[in-house]
Amino acid sequence: MTRLHGGRLCAIVMIICGLAGALAAQTSYTYTASGVFAAAPVSGADELKLAGEPFSITITASDSQLSSYHGPTYAGYTGLQFMGNLHSGLLPTPVALASKATWIVMANGNPNYNLFDLGTTLKVIGLTLKVSAVITLPAGTLTTVRNHAFPAVSVTPASATMTYSDGTNATTLGITGTLYGAASSSVASSAKVYLHGNGVRAITLHADGTQSERAVSNAPVDLGSASGVVALRFYAAGVSAAADVRVQIAGQDVPVLYAGASGNYPGLDEIGVQLPRSLAGMGKVDVVLWVDGQSAGPVQITIR
């Protein structure tokens, strides 16, 4: 690993000092849902071939999250973090999902059932889609929905549907199998997740076995010849004890090569990712870090 000197070292020291005041205890709540889409659509043409395929998602909120709007029997929350994966009959591997603009509405006004309504905008297989899921819960599941509406419940709802739309056409699928529609759990967190734009390094492994390294701030990242492998190293915080670490560049999940403590700077973590060739020529792009449902970033880099 190349050591940093001069101004770059000062920048790293400032990052570490800044973290001391940023670490604050909080409790996060994670809603989880998993199941299988019904074998036939309820309505519309299933262009993504999701029917009969499995999915799993998580939605993360903080105990400091207040409702964006509410009434006596309902409450809505916006800006929630959403992650997950689903299978499509069009692809051999699962599709990763992520959004920081997810909303949920909970309602307990009907005496026969409670309602858990989810909405988000996602990019799936290159398409920008609006997704809405409506989950009917047993009456009494949501005992309160005003302000802090994060009940620790695990249920199998009587019915649930998911609708996706490209703005013109809409498809609705039923959900079968085991589903935990409003399950939540609280986890104490002592560190906020950070991804730093300072000190980013591009590391290239050439076809002849040699390796070169340079600062990304000096010039755009060059993916070079098709035979070379290019990786990026970022400094971060809050990842060394994480169970799940993901990185997206230009909305695309990239392979994470390393996520853990920095070998040179105590109190600082590192993230190493490989750049797929599909990013060549993208220009200025966002890099977003996801750690156990929390997001950090974006940090911008330029790829030519």
Side-chain angles (χ1 to χ4, degrees):
M1 180 183 300
T2 302
R3 292 184 178 272
L4 305 179
H5 297 281
R8 198 166 288 120
L9 176 58
C10 291
I12 295 298
V13 172
M14 291 174 64
I15 291 171
I16 296 174
C17 293
L19 289 178
L23 304 184
Q26 67 175 359
T27 301
S28 63
Y29 293 78
T30 303
Y31 288 80
T32 64
S34 62
V36 177
F37 295 115
V42 174
S43 63
D46 184 19
E47 300 292 344
L48 295 183
K49 305 298 181 186
L50 301 182
E53 300 289 346
F55 73 92
S56 64
I57 66 169
T58 63
I59 305 169
T60 305
S62 168
D63 61 353
S64 62
Q65 182 94 25
L66 298 176
S67 59
S68 302
Y69 53 90
H70 65 263
T73 61
Y74 67 89
Y77 301 81
T78 58
L80 302 179
Q81 298 172 358
F82 174 101
M83 294 182 66
N85 65 77
L86 55 76
H87 290 254
S88 165
L90 300 175
L91 297 174
T93 57
V95 178
L97 309 174
S99 173
K100 293 192 293 182
T102 296
W103 52 262
I104 60 173
V105 176
M106 301 185 198
N108 61 3
N110 192 297
N112 299 318
Y113 60 83
N114 294 163
L115 199 63
F116 187 96
D117 194 352
L118 156 72
T120 190
T121 300
L122 295 169
K123 284 191 175 181
V124 180
I125 316 182
L127 301 175
T128 299
L129 303 174
K130 289 189 175 180
V131 178
S132 175
V134 178
I135 303 171
T136 302
L137 304 171
T141 301
L142 306 177
T143 56
T144 179
V145 295
R146 293 191 58 148
N147 292 328
H148 298 291
F150 304 116
V153 295
S154 180
V155 295
T156 300
S159 66
T161 60
M162 186 277 287
T163 300
Y164 66 87
S165 171
D166 60 6
T168 301
N169 304 301
T171 302
T172 299
L173 299 169
I175 299 174
T176 61
T178 302
L179 178 77
Y180 298 92
S184 64
S185 59
S186 60
V187 179
S189 175
S190 59
K192 189 172 177 62
V193 177
Y194 286 89
L195 182 65
H196 299 291
N198 293 331
V200 184
R201 310 286 291 181
I203 304 164
T204 302
L205 179 62
H206 304 283
D208 60 3
T210 60
Q211 180 174 306
S212 59
E213 180 176 340
R214 66 171 180 81
V216 169
S217 59
N218 294 340
V221 179
D222 189 351
L223 290 181
S225 66
S227 58
V229 176
V230 180
L232 295 179
R233 185 176 70 229
F234 296 86
Y235 288 101
V239 304
S240 58
D244 179 49
V245 177
R246 295 171 56 212
V247 174
Q248 288 188 320
I249 299 180
Q252 177 179 337
D253 281 270
V254 298
V256 176
L257 305 176
Y258 175 78
S262 168
N264 291 329
Y265 302 101
L268 202 61
D269 295 334
E270 290 182 11
I271 302 287
V273 300
Q274 182 179 336
L275 294 183
R277 300 211 59 79
S278 57
L279 294 175
M282 293 288 288
K284 186 172 291 186
V285 295
D286 286 343
V287 182
V288 179
L289 168 67
W290 292 87
V291 178
D292 291 340
Q294 294 188 65
S295 66
V299 166
Q300 286 196 330
I301 61 172
T302 301
I303 303 177
R304 69 184 180 195

